Amino acid sequence: MKVTIKMIVITILSVMVASLFVWAGGNKLSGSEQSIAGFQKMGFPFWFVYFIGFLEVIGAVMIVIPKVRAYGAGILASVMIGAIVTHIVFQGIATIGFPLAVFLVAVAIGWFSRPHWFKKIFCSIPILRGGYSCEAL
């Protein structure tokens, strides 16, 4: 297998994102009073802190394993959609910069790590293709 600059960049970004989510998810899974209080203040149930922490840690582990990297990125991007919405609702749109940046990095990692079967599905549905040449994907 030929190592490319793209692969190196994706791997470095994956490790950076994984580090962030291992820290954040581990903090939630440890039952941090600050995490629990923050979630309860927003009206989320107690167990939701652990659920999000679990998703963050599982996504972080998956994003550093090349064969499942795209799936881990999908999990983390989904978590970040929730974070963006939560920030908008409870703190205002001005606070979404960091969650939005992490979301975009996770989406980029997922896109460039997508499995080959994804390209076949994407290219078989004209409305998804939107004029893109599938050879370029």
Side-chain angles (χ1 to χ4, degrees), residues 26-36 49-50:
N27 192 33
K28 290 174 183 75
L29 289 175
S30 72
S32 157
E33 287 183 30
Q34 183 179 4
S35 293
I36 293 171
V49 176
Y50 296 103

Side-chain angles (χ1 to χ4, degrees), residues 17-85:
V17 168
S19 300
L20 171 71
F21 280 102
V22 164
W23 173 79
N27 192 33
K28 290 174 183 75
L29 289 175
S30 72
S32 157
E33 287 183 30
Q34 183 179 4
S35 293
I36 293 171
F39 274 69
Q40 287 180 332
K41 181 180 174 185
M42 292 180 279
F44 293 111
F46 179 79
W47 59 267
F48 201 63
V49 176
Y50 296 103
F51 176 69
I52 296 299
F54 173 77
L55 290 177
E56 289 175 345
V57 171
I58 291 298
V61 170
M62 290 175 71
I63 206 167
V64 295
I65 302 171
K67 288 205 179 272
V68 294
R69 181 172 286 153
Y71 305 109
I75 291 169
L76 297 178
S78 299
V79 168
M80 293 316 297
I81 289 171
I84 290 166
V85 170

Side-chain angles (χ1 to χ4, degrees), residues 116-137:
H116 294 290
W117 58 262
F118 180 84
K119 179 180 174 182
K120 290 178 185 174
I121 292 172
F122 184 84
C123 289
S124 69
I125 304 171
I127 196 164
L128 291 179
R129 239 186 2 232
Y132 286 101
S133 166
C134 285
E135 289 75 36
L137 297 175

